[in-house]
Amino acid sequence: ASFARADFRRPPAFSVCQFPAKCPLAAMKWFFFYDSNFRPLRDHLVGSARDTFDIKEDFIEDLGVLKFRAGGGIPTYLYKAQKIKDALEECEEGEPFLFTDVDVQFLARALEIVEISSRGFDVVLQREFADIGVNIGFVFVRNTAASRAFWKHVHAEIVRTQALDQRVVNNALYSGFAEQELGLTWTRFPPEIWASSMSYDGPPPENAAVHHANFTLERAPSADPSLKLQQMAMVAAYVAGSDRESLLSFVEAARTNQSMLDYRDRHFGARRPGPEWCTLPEGHPARPGGYSEKRAKAKAAAEVAACRAE
């Protein structure tokens, strides 16, 4: 590598995206889920597809997302992990499939990128930042024993720790656990599968094929998709060449945004809790892990008290 099933129903419309495709993976199964709040995102996602997919979508009336929690909180984390486990059961041994969030849009054909990137791997995940991190909003999975063991572990860890699903996945991969204990082979997609968190490193490449609106400058309720839809229009205009300045301004703001800086440091930097990430080189700020906000605050308070006592 580089650096409780809910009741649902499947809408009858858009069971397959009707676009011709030359890619060998044209009939790949594509799984995602959404609730009433995210129907506008779902419709935009499906409408943006340039390739042919066998769509397997779950509609849940209300996911019970937690306001202002990343990704909607524990209800969404658990449903997503279970959904991927269910998708593995639905596929034949060795069969590949795609799992995405609905705050994603296709900007060009993407299946050829998926096919080339996934050769020889059980799992391929989107980059969180250019240099480090994975994001599980756009994931290729091959149905293998290692993949099944990995997603079973992820689900169990979310239940056990009540932690952010992304943190659980990154810990399992970068610590070396997934490869050493489960035999999982994994890698990250190239930057053409772009997430807005990658704005930290600059704008998307000219040939971007996918955009995941996983970061917004403004904080919005988890159930409100309006900011993400606005961002999607902005990124699409940038890639089309009709308006480049809007996205470039967004990127400049994102690179100095305090929420972005805190997120990177807490999840992929010196303030990262959790196990050591042994796959990173010695001296990398994210390698040690084990950081505790509570201990850091207690230490700071003790130092302040000591200074006052002198």
Side-chain angles (χ1 to χ4, degrees), residues 84-137:
I84 295 176
K85 289 174 61 184
D86 292 345
L88 284 161
E89 292 184 6
E90 190 170 330
C91 292
E92 299 293 330
E93 183 71 25
E95 181 181 355
F97 64 89
L98 195 65
F99 174 88
T100 75
D101 289 347
V102 290
D103 57 344
V104 167
Q105 66 176 338
F106 291 93
L107 302 165
R109 292 190 183 279
L111 275 175
E112 185 174 4
I113 296 173
V114 171
E115 182 199 25
I116 293 171
S117 302
S118 62
R119 290 173 184 167
F121 294 101
D122 297 307
V123 175
V124 186
L125 307 101
Q126 184 172 42
R127 300 175 183 219
E128 186 75 359
F129 295 101
D131 60 329
I132 190 171
V134 301
N135 184 289
I136 58 174

Side-chain angles (χ1 to χ4, degrees), residues 131-154:
D131 60 329
I132 190 171
V134 301
N135 184 289
I136 58 174
F138 192 94
V139 186
F140 166 94
V141 181
R142 196 183 309 280
N143 185 16
T144 63
S147 288
R148 293 190 293 272
F150 176 70
W151 292 107
K152 180 180 179 181
H153 167 78
V154 169

